[in-house]
Amino acid sequence: MRVTRPLALAATLTVAPAMALASGCDDGPAPPARSGAPTPAKSTAPPPDAWIPGHVAKMSVAEKVGQLFVPRFSGRADALEKIRKYHVGGLIYFPENFGSPKRTAAQSNALQQASKIPLLLGVDEEQGIVSRTPFVTVFPGNMALGATGSPADAHAAARVTGTELRAVGVNLDYAPDADVNVNPRNPVIGLRSFGADPGLVSKLTAGAVDGYQAAGVAAAAKHFPGHGDTATDSHTGLPVIRHSRPMWERLDAPPFRAAIAADVDMIMTAHIEVPELDRSGDPATLSKTVLTGLLRGALGYQGVITTDSLEMAGVRKKYGDAAVAVRAIEAGADQLLMPPSLPRAYRAVLAAVRSGRISAQRLDASVTRVLRLKQRRGLFQRATVDPDGTGAVIGTAANKAAARRVAEHAVTLVRNDRNLLPLKGRKVAVTGPGNGTLRAALRSQGVTVTSPAAADVTVLTTENAGAATAARIRALGPKPVVVAALGRPYDLDFAGGADAALATYSASTVSVTALAKVLSGAVRPTGKLPVPAAGKRVGHGLGYR
């Protein structure tokens, strides 16, 4: 039987409809009385989550340990087995777990109905280069939002994405990425970051957190204590970041402070070693100094701490998989994401609790935080959704219009020698990744697209070409060249031979279409570089005269 709140408390809440956008957060303070009106008496009703500690006390140890785990699943039968046998606190969706929106919603409902305690059903849906959900409205990723400089755009993108996820029963998004990307060679963050400026990243992180949670979806700011300055991918190795404590405070910490100030539901750990924060050689995920000392202590965070995927090499380098699960809880993590072997990790944590290595109080603290998150998102009131209502929520005209606005705001004009742009009135050739989409989009804007021999100007698109960009420009000959970086803007570091240069930070159709509008002059460029590129500083961006 599903756990429900006591009737006396449940009666104080409004049950949200299946497709509601309400977040399910605790009620805020009463609005101030009008001038001259009597001040309303303070409510003596208990807080909405007051029942949780009492319920945790009644749970079995096996049930409590289960709430710490969020595994992947191969199909519905596998998920149901994990729910039944291990009492898991949640599950994470990958592309292979999604069907149509209606079928996905029905599957989410089946999983929720099988669980005694509502599940956190999560997904890595950052948009941009990390997108797992095949049917959501496509937005450019974080670096494009960084180029807009607009917390309102970050909020709008997150709210649309969150609303569409919630429509299919996904109630947790492992987003936004709060890393400050200061290393152009970073192989794992890059475009996933809002940018290289801590202030910019902070305000957009806060906007995104608020957007997701306003849609009823828990947000997870990541990757603490900051994964932005590494040339090693933590999926394949253990990155070492040598920021001093003062540098960390100035560069890496501000976005996480902003997320905490925005009341973020969850923060994800990084599988990175930061010797100046903890000299043990352990990754941050397994460091009590980092998770309990810095995140809980110095930053004052009281929400749920989740590990990054425990399948990644960065966390498996020093200890075995069973030991990793126990050490992560000892360090201060509340949930263990994607253990390589759920049975092995579950048994290890259960044994650690029963032996006293993990105290009952420590276990109860994590379970209480997890249940409070579920309460905040309204899952104890209603965890299921309406499968027949997905069509009215996903991919609407309003959602697509929001994506178009973000993409257009992001396009950044970095150089425009001799006012080569806009291109209307010129004959244009197009080459490079996405050239077919760009040709069609330019034609729709009234630009004459022709062969290289007949063209006045060539538009060369690049997507993470790096140093090869320079050779590609030279190969095009003496005619004017416009370079458009559809991936990392660092390609423009090698575009000195071009007459004009732009960045879109995304190769999606919506971004390429926005590029065509800017190239044609239908839309004026307003984006600003969120990272240094082409010899220009953060904040550089040209307009049209």
Side-chain angles (χ1 to χ4, degrees):
M1 180 180 294
R2 175 179 297 283
V3 172
T4 56
R5 300 179 56 214
L7 284 176
L9 293 178
T12 68
L13 288 182
T14 300
V15 177
M19 304 310 299
L21 300 184
S23 68
C25 290
D26 300 348
D27 294 338
R34 294 179 187 173
S35 177
T39 302
K42 273 191 173 182
S43 171
T44 57
D49 60 3
W51 63 278
I52 289 175
H55 179 74
V56 171
K58 297 175 184 177
M59 294 171 66
S60 70
V61 172
E63 289 172 331
K64 292 178 184 179
V65 170
Q67 287 298 301
L68 310 183
F69 287 92
V70 180
R72 64 161 73 224
F73 62 102
S74 59
R76 187 179 299 192
D78 180 44
L80 294 173
E81 175 70 4
K82 287 177 166 69
I83 293 167
R84 181 192 66 79
K85 190 170 182 179
Y86 299 104
H87 322 286
V88 294
L91 296 158
I92 182 168
Y93 273 85
F94 278 86
E96 61 269 23
N97 303 124
F98 289 103
S100 66
K102 183 174 181 178
R103 290 184 64 183
T104 302
Q107 174 175 266
S108 297
N109 287 349
L111 301 181
Q112 293 288 9
Q113 289 159 357
S115 183
K116 185 176 179 180
I117 293 176
L119 298 164
L120 290 173
L121 297 179
V123 69
D124 259 330
E125 188 52 66
E126 299 176 16
Q127 293 278 8
I129 61 173
V130 177
S131 180
R132 312 284 194 224
T133 318
F135 44 71
V136 293
T137 298
V138 175
F139 280 80
N142 274 7
M143 195 167 283
L145 285 162
T148 74
S150 169
D153 278 347
H155 181 280
R159 180 138 190 181
V160 168
T161 300
T163 299
E164 295 189 348
L165 292 175
R166 193 70 186 87
V168 298
V170 173
N171 51 50
L172 165 61
D173 194 357
Y174 291 105
D177 190 304
D179 299 311
V180 181
N181 198 82
V182 294
N183 190 335
R185 296 178 299 137
N186 194 324
V188 66
I189 304 300
L191 292 170
R192 299 168 64 189
S193 167
F194 289 115
D197 176 70
L200 173 69
V201 176
S202 295
K203 69 180 184 178
L204 296 184
T205 294
V209 165
D210 190 58
Y212 288 122
Q213 294 182 180
V217 169
K222 58 189 186 186
H223 306 79
F224 189 84
H227 209 317
D229 189 8
T230 173
T232 301
D233 186 343
S234 52
H235 291 84
T236 57
L238 177 59
V240 178
I241 295 180
R242 302 196 179 276
H243 291 183
S244 66
R245 176 65 182 266
M247 186 176 183
W248 176 80
E249 292 278 5
R250 177 179 59 80
L251 183 68
D252 302 294
F256 293 101
R257 292 187 187 276
I260 292 167
D263 207 15
V264 69
D265 282 325
M266 183 178 283
I267 290 179
M268 178 183 283
T269 69
H271 304 326
I272 58 172
E273 181 187 347
V274 190
E276 294 300 315
L277 301 182
D278 178 3
R279 298 188 182 280
S280 69
D282 287 342
T285 296
L286 306 183
S287 169
K288 190 169 185 177
T289 300
V290 172
L291 300 191
T292 300
L294 282 184
L295 185 50
R296 292 268 186 240
L299 271 62
Y301 181 59
Q302 297 304 312
V304 172
I305 298 175
T306 181
T307 70
D308 202 344
S309 168
L310 298 182
E311 295 179 352
M312 295 165 62
V315 78
R316 303 173 75 185
K317 181 177 179 180
K318 194 172 178 182
Y319 304 104
D321 291 339
V324 162
V326 174
R327 285 176 173 272
I329 299 300
E330 289 179 317
D334 300 305
Q335 286 204 313
L336 306 171
L337 180 63
M338 296 168 58
S341 168
L342 177 61
R344 183 181 302 127
Y346 179 88
R347 287 194 299 267
V349 174
L350 190 61
V353 172
R354 287 176 171 162
S355 72
R357 178 175 173 179
I358 295 174
S359 71
Q361 292 81 5
R362 173 69 191 86
L363 176 63
D364 285 359
S366 281
V367 175
T368 299
R369 279 190 283 265
V370 170
L371 296 193
R372 281 180 172 153
L373 187 161
K374 294 177 179 183
Q375 166 67 32
R376 279 163 56 88
R377 293 300 132 229
L379 300 183
F380 286 102
Q381 288 70 56
R382 184 163 187 173
T384 57
V385 294
D386 176 15
D388 292 326
T390 56
V393 177
I394 296 171
T396 65
N399 291 356
K400 291 177 179 177
R404 285 196 299 272
R405 285 194 296 273
V406 168
E408 290 170 8
H409 295 168
V411 178
T412 307
L413 180 59
V414 178
R415 190 169 66 256
N416 190 20
D417 294 349
R418 298 183 298 279
N419 294 318
L420 179 63
L421 301 178
L423 292 174
K424 211 159 190 178
R426 293 182 171 90
K427 296 177 182 177
V428 179
V430 181
T431 185
N435 62 77
T437 302
L438 182 55
R439 284 192 188 99
L442 285 170
R443 287 190 181 105
S444 72
Q445 296 301 320
V447 175
T448 301
V449 180
T450 186
S451 67
D456 304 317
V457 179
T458 299
V459 176
L460 169 66
T461 59
T462 69
E463 189 174 2
N464 308 327
T469 301
R472 294 177 187 178
I473 294 169
R474 289 194 298 270
L476 293 174
K479 292 181 180 179
V481 175
V482 177
V483 172
L486 306 186
R488 298 179 182 219
Y490 308 118
D491 283 0
L492 300 185
D493 292 342
F494 307 96
D499 299 273
L502 307 93
T504 66
Y505 317 94
S506 167
S508 63
T509 298
V510 69
S511 292
V512 173
T513 301
L515 171 65
K517 291 180 179 179
V518 169
L519 289 172
S520 71
V523 167
R524 291 181 175 272
T526 58
K528 306 295 182 185
L529 284 174
V531 295
K536 305 297 183 181
R537 295 180 179 180
V538 170
H540 171 80
L542 303 176
Y544 288 152
R545 292 180 181 177

